[in-house]
């Protein structure tokens, strides 16, 4: 990846961090994501809604994919990128896979997130990197991340949240 591509990815991850701040401010867990179209336009953004929405599958990426799959054709979604503050969990990776988005870009890894959340029952996600899950699928979904230079901004939104 060249420097311009890296800066573009960081730009969108920063936008996802803002979404995660709003999710936390609304009473949800601090995660956010964006769906970006092939021309670079932000098509959708989504924070977690599992607490205020009382939806056990209310992770940002899964919620966004439920919306996006109702609005866009699969061939169009394949040309899109899903940007997330943290590496998508197994459930969210499955949603992205079935939603047919062609690329995932994330800020911090699932392992780094687990260091932040510890044993908090709100985030006992399986230790299953999205690359490993997608490697067992039959779609060549590109995965980009983590980005060490954005870690501090992503982690800051989580400070003081997890027990």
């Amino acid at each position: 990846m060249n420097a311009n591509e890296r800066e573009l990815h960081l730009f969108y991850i920063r936008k996802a961090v803002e979404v995660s701040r709003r999710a936390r401010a609304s009473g949800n867990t601090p995660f956010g994501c964006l769906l970006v179209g092939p021309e670079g336009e932000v098509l959708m953004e989504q924070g977690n809604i599992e607490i205020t929405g009382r939806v056990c599958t209310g992770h940002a990426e899964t919620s966004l994919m439920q919306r996006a799959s109702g609005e866009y054709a699969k061939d169009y979604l394949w040309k899109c990128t899903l940007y997330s503050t943290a590496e998508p969990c197994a459930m969210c990776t499955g949603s992205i896979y079935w939603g047919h988005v062609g690329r995932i870009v994330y800020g911090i890894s699932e392992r780094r997130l687990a260091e932040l959340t510890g044993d908090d029952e709100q985030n006992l996600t399986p230790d299953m990197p999205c690359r490993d899950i997608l490697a067992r699928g039959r779609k060549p979904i590109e995965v980009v991340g983590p980005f060490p230079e954005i870690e501090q901004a992503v982690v800051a939104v989580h400070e003081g949240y997890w027990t």
Side-chain angles (χ1 to χ4, degrees), residues 48 50 55-63 65-66 88-98 125-126 128 133:
N48 272 31
E50 81 278 8
V55 179
C56 67
T57 58
H59 291 192
E61 301 93 331
T62 294
S63 299
M65 289 312 307
Q66 289 170 341
C89 71
M91 174 184 69
C92 292
T93 299
S95 295
I96 296 164
Y97 180 88
W98 289 111
T125 59
M128 299 173 74
I133 296 167

Side-chain angles (χ1 to χ4, degrees), residues 1 3 10 17 60 64 69 77 116 142 152 158 161:
M1 154 183 12
L10 291 168
V17 169
L64 183 139
S69 65
L77 287 171
L116 297 173
E142 180 184 2
Q152 185 177 0
H158 291 264
Y161 185 86

Side-chain angles (χ1 to χ4, degrees), residues 6-69:
R6 190 168 197 87
E7 283 306 312
L8 189 60
H9 291 325
L10 291 168
F11 171 80
Y12 290 118
I13 295 169
R14 284 185 191 97
K15 286 186 164 295
V17 169
E18 291 305 316
V19 175
S20 73
R21 281 193 181 102
R22 290 194 302 271
R24 181 175 178 172
S26 71
N28 286 293
T29 48
F31 298 96
C33 68
L34 308 170
L35 181 66
V36 175
E39 302 300 320
E41 67 281 20
V42 175
L43 302 172
M44 291 183 172
E45 58 181 46
Q46 181 69 55
N48 272 31
I49 59 168
E50 81 278 8
I51 296 173
T52 59
R54 300 178 77 141
V55 179
C56 67
T57 58
H59 291 192
E61 301 93 331
T62 294
S63 299
L64 183 139
M65 289 312 307
Q66 289 170 341
R67 292 174 41 221
S69 65

